[in-house]
Amino acid sequence: MFWTLALVLGLISSMNQISNGQLQAGFYSNSCPNAESIVASTVRQATQSDPTIPAALLRLHFHDCMVHGCDGSILVRSPANGNLEKDSPNHAGLRGMEVIDSAKAQLESQCPGVVSCADIVALAARDSVSLTQGPAYDVLTGRRDGTVSNIADANNMPVVRDSIDVLKSKFATKGLSDKDLVLLTAAHTIGTTACFFVENRLYSFSTNSQSDPSINPSFLPELQSQCPQNGNVNVRIPLDRGSGNRFDIEIFRNIKSGFAVIESDAALYQDDSTRAIVDSYFGLFELLGPSFEDDFAESMIRMGSIGVKTGSNGVIRRTCSALN
């Protein structure tokens, strides 16, 4: 279902609890009217060349917002000294930065010094969801870019092996609810993960169980065949079994049924609060309950407002890969 401008703007009051500044829909309508279409075109062209790009860009937005807030600091790659935010092991495998760089170069040629790298990341994530048959929604814009990028700042990123209590705590620290945790995890409906992040669940889960007992017994051999013990940990497998290239609710069906691929996804069904949220999208709730697509869009908008810099705070970086 499509978000209307009025509905999006209705979220602003709740988002003020997350952000010190205020974003708005159509922020660049006068200063750079083609900004959103340029980003959308760039993402579309990149996806035509590499169908894995939407998942990469969606993940990039999450990793940007969950450190300093949504300020584009994850994009900084210069100087290449090993001490930048993107160098953290918690950001391992991040991709898609070249797509942001391409959009930024086009925007600088049309509207120099106007569109922030942080906004490009947020817009690219939205376009990635839409390109994979997910919900279309308005992105509130007006973010400015950060001026700091330190590896240590990413130490508290949510990671695959976090318990559900730790995940809930990390999200709460950013002003996000348990429902946001569940819905933002649904971003795993597209994309892949490396066997490196799965092998512990399969072969050395705990002292009491070689494999994670929450894995459906019929699914365990399938995972083990894809990620054999002592095999290539860089092999990539879909995060959403049977639906890895399409944005849909199947990720929740898989979590309910024990077909979650990574531990943090499975954890959602091992806690009363988050399990109830997952279940709320099924059964009679499918007809009478909340809309998965609308709720996902709302959580994305809320996440995109974490710690944003607006007004006189922050800068507009002319090159996304380097600090001004």
Side-chain angles (χ1 to χ4, degrees), residues 60-259:
L60 189 64
H61 186 34
F62 175 80
H63 281 250
D64 185 35
C65 293
M66 294 298 284
V67 181
H68 285 295
C70 313
D71 67 352
S73 58
I74 191 63
L75 303 171
V76 178
R77 284 102 78 197
S78 177
N81 55 16
N83 293 315
L84 298 172
E85 182 182 318
K86 65 94 179 172
D87 295 317
S88 169
N90 292 337
H91 293 317
L94 279 184
R95 299 185 304 115
M97 297 181 190
E98 71 285 352
V99 180
I100 306 301
D101 291 343
S102 175
K104 178 63 169 175
Q106 295 175 62
L107 288 164
E108 283 298 307
S109 69
Q110 287 200 19
C111 316
V114 173
V115 182
S116 70
C117 301
D119 273 345
I120 297 171
V121 173
L123 290 166
R126 182 272 308 274
D127 296 333
S128 296
V129 171
S130 180
L131 282 170
T132 51
Q133 302 176 48
Y137 56 94
D138 285 326
V139 171
L140 303 182
T141 44
R143 300 167 187 79
R144 290 170 66 85
D145 297 320
T147 57
V148 175
S149 180
N150 293 319
I151 188 172
D153 292 334
N155 287 345
N156 290 321
M157 275 292 300
V159 295
V160 166
R161 296 208 63 192
D162 281 344
S163 70
I164 188 62
D165 287 336
V166 169
L167 289 170
K168 289 164 71 172
S169 175
K170 287 182 176 180
F171 273 67
T173 298
K174 298 298 181 181
L176 298 173
S177 67
D178 290 355
K179 186 173 183 179
D180 292 319
L181 164 61
V182 172
L183 287 157
L184 293 172
T185 297
H188 293 163
T189 182
I190 56 174
T192 61
T193 189
C195 287
F196 174 82
F197 296 107
V198 182
E199 60 176 0
N200 180 76
R201 291 190 78 202
L202 304 180
Y203 305 110
S204 55
F205 184 70
S206 70
T207 55
N208 298 320
S209 177
Q210 184 179 35
S211 60
D212 184 346
S214 72
I215 301 174
N216 189 303
S218 67
F219 188 39
L220 181 60
E222 181 180 327
L223 280 177
Q224 290 175 327
S225 68
Q226 293 173 306
C227 298
Q229 192 167 18
N230 301 319
N232 182 356
V233 296
N234 294 315
V235 169
R236 302 196 68 84
I237 61 175
L239 281 163
D240 190 8
R241 180 178 182 264
S243 182
N245 295 317
R246 185 176 65 254
F247 191 100
D248 57 28
I249 202 171
E250 286 305 306
I251 185 68
F252 284 168
R253 295 187 196 279
N254 281 331
I255 289 171
K256 281 172 58 70
S257 304
F259 290 96

Side-chain angles (χ1 to χ4, degrees), residues 33-48:
N34 296 324
E36 296 198 21
S37 62
I38 288 172
V39 175
S41 176
T42 304
V43 173
R44 184 168 55 253
Q45 291 175 19
T47 301
Q48 290 171 350

Side-chain angles (χ1 to χ4, degrees), residues 1-16 22-27 36 126 135-141 143 293-294 296-302 305:
M1 298 176 67
F2 289 81
W3 278 82
T4 64
L5 177 58
L7 185 55
V8 171
L9 294 178
L11 292 169
I12 289 178
S13 61
S14 66
M15 281 186 268
N16 282 339
Q22 191 174 87
L23 306 176
Q24 63 185 71
F27 181 83
E36 296 198 21
R126 182 272 308 274
Y137 56 94
D138 285 326
V139 171
L140 303 182
T141 44
R143 300 167 187 79
E293 290 82 4
D294 284 358
F296 176 81
E298 182 176 350
S299 287
M300 284 292 291
I301 295 168
R302 187 174 291 111
S305 298

